[in-house]
């Protein structure tokens, strides 16, 4: 049956049909929908894990038991999961274990740009890369088969364009249950010297097995085309000179689609397995063409590997930064080198009107103190209050950066961190701060959801993908860890926050303030506010809270329809000219 699927939906369906028993992951664009979509299929246990490392470790336990498991995450999530990943190649698997990772070339919604194919090389695991949804659907099933056949975890590498683009896939929708027996195997599964030496050698043999398998796998294919007609234009270094000769292109993933669009008549070796390489296959293709190009997104991963085989490759002239598209490829082939592909330059998303983070950032903006930031919706505060957050690195880093700053400067420092990030990787940083006697105030922004990635639940919400779960409160966690000074305040009560922050800052050691306010996108409100322009002095105080619902209009201000009725602005209005009205009784 032919159907339209995004790459992420195709991975979910393919994994379901492959008999996956357990699917785990942690949200992160562009990978989030893989787990969300698989959770709707029956017979699959699906969970948002606390972080990517636990997601992979749990899945490896499922694999040990003889069942198939899928893990999904964004590229930076793979860094968090990289510790178990490296060693899982040594132990290998019992039931198939597939890790679907989606990269974000161009950093449309990420703090950095990474090429997850490189993990194949350092972890010694096969990497499969689909070029459309149909392949994503087929490759995930192939990945499970390869995982079991070669006793290795397999990485399924997607990129934003593949994950989020809908293309036609021919699917059958039938699930095949899968189960193997578990037998104790200490020498395989307990990575302790001297067992590790044999596992290292075995890893080499297993990867060699994959290398030999590649030509018969059907995942790589050659599309041989007649010589190209002469190209009319072209600059220095481009294809112009020899364009009539037979040109061969090695490519993979989304880059393959651009090659077909820009150079439909070139001979192509399309790699579905992008790591490892079969030298024979590459050499034969290279021999069959006069000139060899590699077209790939991000760094020269394939190109370098081919050069290392002693094969001559024409300088691809492709940017190593950013997302590729057909225009960039077309220009590069004409000899017009651009340093970067498409990179995100104009995403200035700010905090929503009525966001529970506005109040605390407004108050912090009045203080001159180091604030270690973290990753979540609250990072968007930099567009509203430009100098408040001093750093943002990766999930869980803000507390440790504040610790480092305070240790070296002798000053009290602040860390802001979201509720999910606190559970994801903030807890060890709190312990480290306590252990090493840091002098910091940790502000936890508890909006009861993982907002940045679309509103997923987490352990602090007591909900999961499959219903109710055990709930953990941040307050209990902090107290249990040993933070003595913990206060929970209302995110919409400026006085309360101010008082708690002041007290928290006066504590010598580690203190915490939990700013409690449900994500405004989840909240229903029956009130809005308006400015009584007859009485307003237009002092501008209400604007200071940074709410996008208050806008300047000529010489006055108005509160727009976007008002969520949070009442933060009311607390700043000295003349008391901001008035409440009920939504079914709006009089503007
Ligand atoms: C290691 C890693 N995994 C996932 C992500 C994607 N991501 C960015 S922000 C965020 C959510 C943070 O949630 P929370 O701390 O609750 O803050 P909120 O967005 O709700 O403000 C996630 C999952 C990431 N950047 N890094």
């Amino acid at each position: 049956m032919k159907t339209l699927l995004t790459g992420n939906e195709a991975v979910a369906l393919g994994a379901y049909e492959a008999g996956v028993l357990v699917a785990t992951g942690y949200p992160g664009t562009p990978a989030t929908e893989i787990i969300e979509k698989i959770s709707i299929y029956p017979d699959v246990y699906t969970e948002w894990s606390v972080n990517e490392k636990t997601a992979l470790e749990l899945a490896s336990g499922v694999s040990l038991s003889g069942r198939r498991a899928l893990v999904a995450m964004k590229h930076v999530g793979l860094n968090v999961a990289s510790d178990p990943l490296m060693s899982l190649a040594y132990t290998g698997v019992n039931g198939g274990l597939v890790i679907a990772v989606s990269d974000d070339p161009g950093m449309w919604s990420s703090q950095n740009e990474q090429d997850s194919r490189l993990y194949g090389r350092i972890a010694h695991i096969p990497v499969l890369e689909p070029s459309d949804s149909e392949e994503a659907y087929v490759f995930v099933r192939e990945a499970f088969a390869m995982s079991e056949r070669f006793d290795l975890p397999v990485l399924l590498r997607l990129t934003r364009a593949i994950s989020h683009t809908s293309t036609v896939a021919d699917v059958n929708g039938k699930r095949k249950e899968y189960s193997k027996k578990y037998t104790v195997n200490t020498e395989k599964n307990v990575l302790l010297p001297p067992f590790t030496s044999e596992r290292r050698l075995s890893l080499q043999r297993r990867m060699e097995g994959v290398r030999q398998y590649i030509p018969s796998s059907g995942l790589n294919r050659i599309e041989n085309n007649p010589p190209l007609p002469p190209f009319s234009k072209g600059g220095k270094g481009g294809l112009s000179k020899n364009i009539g000769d037979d040109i061969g292109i090695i490519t993979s993933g989304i880059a393959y689609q651009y090659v077909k669009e820009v150079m439909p008549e070139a001979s192509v070796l399309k790699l579905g397995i992008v790591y490892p390489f079969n030298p024979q296959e590459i050499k034969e293709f290279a021999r069959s063409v006069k000139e060899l190009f590699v077209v790939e997104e991000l760094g020269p991963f394939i190109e370098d590997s081919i050069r290392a085989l002693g094969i001559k490759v024409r300088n691809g002239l492709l940017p190593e930064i950013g997302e590729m598209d057909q225009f960039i490829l077309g220009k590069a082939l004409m000899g017009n080198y651009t340093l970067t592909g498409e990179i995100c330059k104009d995403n200035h998303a700010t905090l929503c009107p009525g966001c529970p983070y506005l109040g605390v950032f407004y108050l912090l903006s009045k203080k001159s103190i180091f604030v270690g930031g973290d990753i979540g919706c609250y990072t968007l505060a930099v567009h509203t209050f430009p100098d408040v957050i001093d750093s943002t690195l990766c999930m869980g880093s803000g507390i440790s950066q504040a610790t480092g700053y305070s240790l070296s400067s002798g000053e009290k420092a602040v860390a802001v961190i979201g509720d999910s990030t606190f559970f994801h990787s903030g807890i060890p940083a709190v312990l480290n701060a306590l252990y090493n006697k840091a002098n910091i105030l940790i502000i936890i922004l508890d909006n009861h959801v993982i907002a940045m990635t679309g509103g997923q639940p987490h352990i602090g919400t007591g909900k999961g993908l499959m219903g109710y779960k055990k709930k953990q409160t941040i307050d209990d966690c902090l107290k249990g860890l040993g933070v003595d000074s913990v206060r929970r305040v209302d995110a919409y009560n400026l006085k309360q926050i101010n008082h708690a922050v002041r007290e928290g800052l006066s504590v010598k050691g580690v203190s915490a303030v939990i700013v409690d306010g449900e994500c405004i996108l989840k909240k229903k409100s029956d009130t809005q506010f308006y400015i009584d322009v007859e009485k307003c002095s237009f002092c501008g105080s209400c604007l200071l809270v940074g709410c996008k619902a208050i806008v300047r209009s000529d010489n006055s201000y108005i509160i727009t329809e976007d008002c969520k009725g949070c009442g933060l602005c009311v607390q700043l209005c000295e003349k008391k000219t901001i008035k409440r009205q009920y939504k079914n009784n709006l009089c503007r």
Side-chain angles (χ1 to χ4, degrees), residues 26-28 52 74 76-77 80 111 357 375-378 395 418-421 424 447 449-453:
Y26 185 74
E52 293 87 350
K74 71 182 287 172
V76 280
V80 177
Q111 70 265 37
Y357 301 159
I375 304 209
C377 268
Y378 41 97
M395 284 187 81
D419 44 356
S420 180
T421 306
H424 175 281
N447 66 348
V449 77
I450 311 181
M452 187 67 141
T453 48

Side-chain angles (χ1 to χ4, degrees), residues 20-27 34-35 38 44-49 51-60 62 69-73 97-100 465:
V20 153
L21 184 71
V22 171
T24 64
Y26 185 74
I34 297 174
I35 294 299
I38 205 166
V44 183
Y45 166 83
T46 321
E47 72 165 40
W48 285 129
S49 308
N51 64 31
E52 293 87 350
K53 181 178 184 296
T54 51
L56 178 55
E57 288 158 349
L58 188 152
S60 77
V62 174
L70 176 80
V71 192
M73 59 196 70
L97 178 59
V98 174
I99 301 131
L465 281 159

Side-chain angles (χ1 to χ4, degrees), residues 181-292:
K181 228 171 95 27
Y182 171 68
T183 41
V184 179
N185 191 342
T186 315
E187 295 185 9
K188 180 176 189 288
N189 295 320
V190 180
L191 289 180
L192 181 81
F195 309 143
T196 41
S197 59
E198 172 44 32
R199 290 317 291 165
R200 179 69 188 91
L201 294 168
S202 140
L203 177 52
Q204 211 67 3
R205 288 193 293 272
R206 285 176 281 148
M207 279 302 273
E208 187 49 37
V210 177
R211 217 168 265 124
Q212 300 304 326
Y213 167 71
I214 290 171
S216 64
S217 70
L219 299 180
N220 292 356
R221 67 170 184 265
I222 290 175
E223 296 172 5
N224 256 328
N225 290 314
L228 288 167
F231 237 57
S232 50
K233 293 184 209 141
K236 198 167 163 243
L239 287 179
S240 57
K241 280 178 242 153
N242 308 322
I243 208 73
D245 296 337
D246 196 356
I247 283 170
I249 294 180
I250 301 183
T251 186
S252 74
I254 190 67
Y256 164 79
Q257 303 293 358
Y258 303 140
V259 166
K260 296 308 279 183
E261 202 167 327
V262 177
M263 306 260 307
E265 289 161 90
S267 293
V268 171
L269 169 56
K270 180 196 174 303
L271 300 180
I273 302 177
V274 292
Y275 192 78
F277 301 91
N278 179 297
Q280 210 48 38
E281 182 184 67
I282 309 256
K283 280 180 184 160
E284 270 170 31
F285 179 73
R287 266 199 298 271
S288 75
V289 295
K290 285 215 173 118
E291 203 153 28
L292 187 65

Side-chain angles (χ1 to χ4, degrees), residues 354-361 417-419 442-449 458 460-461 471-475 478 486-494 496-498 500-501 512-520 523 566 568 571:
C355 173
Y357 301 159
L358 286 168
V360 65
F361 279 110
I417 185 166
D419 44 356
I442 305 168
I443 298 179
I444 296 142
L445 304 160
D446 188 2
N447 66 348
H448 314 184
V449 77
H458 60 74
T461 66
K471 180 175 171 155
Q472 184 68 55
T473 73
I474 298 166
D475 317 54
L478 286 167
V486 179
R487 286 179 186 75
R488 181 174 279 270
V489 292
D490 176 357
Y492 295 110
N493 187 327
L494 290 175
Q496 234 183 58
I497 308 172
N498 201 20
V501 167
V513 172
I514 304 161
V515 179
D516 185 334
E518 191 180 25
C519 172
I520 201 73
K523 226 172 161 177
C566 77
L568 274 173
Q571 296 167 56

Side-chain angles (χ1 to χ4, degrees), residues 318-319 323-333 338 340-342:
L318 287 165
E323 200 171 44
M324 198 205 284
D325 61 27
Q326 60 275 46
F327 305 108
I328 289 165
L329 176 61
K331 279 193 213 154
L333 291 173
T338 48
T340 64
E342 277 289 299

